[in-house]
Amino acid sequence: MTDKDRKKWDSRYLKRLGGTDPSPILKKHWGLASCGNALDIACGNGRNSIFLAAKGFAVDAVDISTVATNHLAGRNPHINVICADLDTWDIPQNRYELIINVRFLDRRLFPLIQNGLKSGGVLIVESFMGGEMDNYCLNQNELLRAFLSFRIIYYEEKKTGLSEKFDHTASLVAIKTGESSP
């Protein structure tokens, strides 16, 4: 991402910060993770970070938007807000019991996510798929293949009807097994 991307997301969040309810996939599966450190990738307004902090997690919430991160900063002492470009930010290794990545895709992060989770750590991902914007959308079974070394708890690809551009999602819940790196 670039300053152009930061400005785009700042502008979008200035118009509308987004909802406050946590993602349904997170609400359903967060309890699979041991309470400890969590990472919320592309946290936006922090709806998922706030939910996890309320459940007892120490959350690193990362987003490129200064508007979004400023909104979240200081709202909960258990949320560490990080304003960073995810194209260059590296996930600390072997740090997290839970990593969530909802509606953001950066394939460069896949091996970093794998290394960032502790053994037994839980990964929850939901991303758009298909469509004309391949850089921002997963291909069929791509998410599943990227994390095949994990124990897959849940995987689904479905039509959502959210918009014409992004009308399908892929969802994955998986547990990291063993200590091997990708």
Side-chain angles (χ1 to χ4, degrees):
M1 292 189 194
T2 63
D3 281 337
K4 180 180 173 185
D5 292 315
R6 184 182 314 275
K7 288 176 186 174
K8 175 183 95 169
W9 286 106
D10 281 349
S11 174
R12 191 170 290 178
Y13 285 122
L14 280 171
K15 291 176 189 164
R16 184 173 178 271
L17 264 174
T20 57
D21 290 335
S23 173
I25 192 170
L26 176 62
K27 283 173 63 174
K28 185 174 181 179
H29 296 285
W30 72 271
L32 293 170
S34 299
C35 199
N37 293 319
L39 173 62
D40 185 357
I41 296 171
C43 66
N45 71 0
R47 66 191 177 116
N48 293 322
S49 297
I50 292 166
F51 174 82
L52 288 173
K55 299 295 183 187
F57 286 88
V59 183
D60 287 340
V62 184
D63 201 281
I64 193 170
S65 169
T66 54
V67 171
T69 54
N70 286 344
H71 168 77
L72 183 57
R75 293 192 60 192
N76 187 305
H78 301 289
I79 300 174
N80 174 38
V81 178
I82 302 166
C83 187
D85 182 344
L86 286 162
D87 283 346
T88 57
W89 187 75
D90 288 333
I91 296 170
Q93 289 193 15
N94 199 36
R95 176 169 169 79
Y96 299 103
E97 280 77 21
L98 174 63
I99 295 180
I100 62 170
N101 185 2
V102 177
R103 296 191 181 166
F104 174 78
L105 178 62
D106 184 344
R107 291 167 177 90
R108 178 192 79 86
L109 295 177
F110 288 174
L112 299 175
I113 288 169
Q114 291 183 26
N115 290 331
L117 276 170
K118 293 180 178 180
S119 182
V122 174
L123 173 62
I124 299 174
V125 180
E126 183 178 82
S127 193
F128 295 111
M129 55 180 300
E132 61 205 47
M133 303 179 73
D134 286 339
N135 287 340
Y136 304 105
C137 294
L138 292 161
N139 296 309
Q140 189 173 17
N141 291 321
E142 180 181 3
L143 184 59
L144 182 62
R145 284 190 305 272
F147 295 97
L148 274 179
S149 65
F150 284 34
R151 182 165 59 98
I152 307 301
I153 303 299
Y154 171 80
Y155 184 76
E156 180 179 39
E157 295 180 358
K158 68 180 180 181
K159 185 171 179 67
T160 62
L162 290 175
S163 72
E164 285 183 31
K165 275 189 205 176
F166 303 113
D167 68 341
H168 285 79
T169 59
S171 302
L172 171 87
V173 177
I175 298 174
K176 181 178 180 178
T177 58
E179 289 297 326
S180 62
S181 296

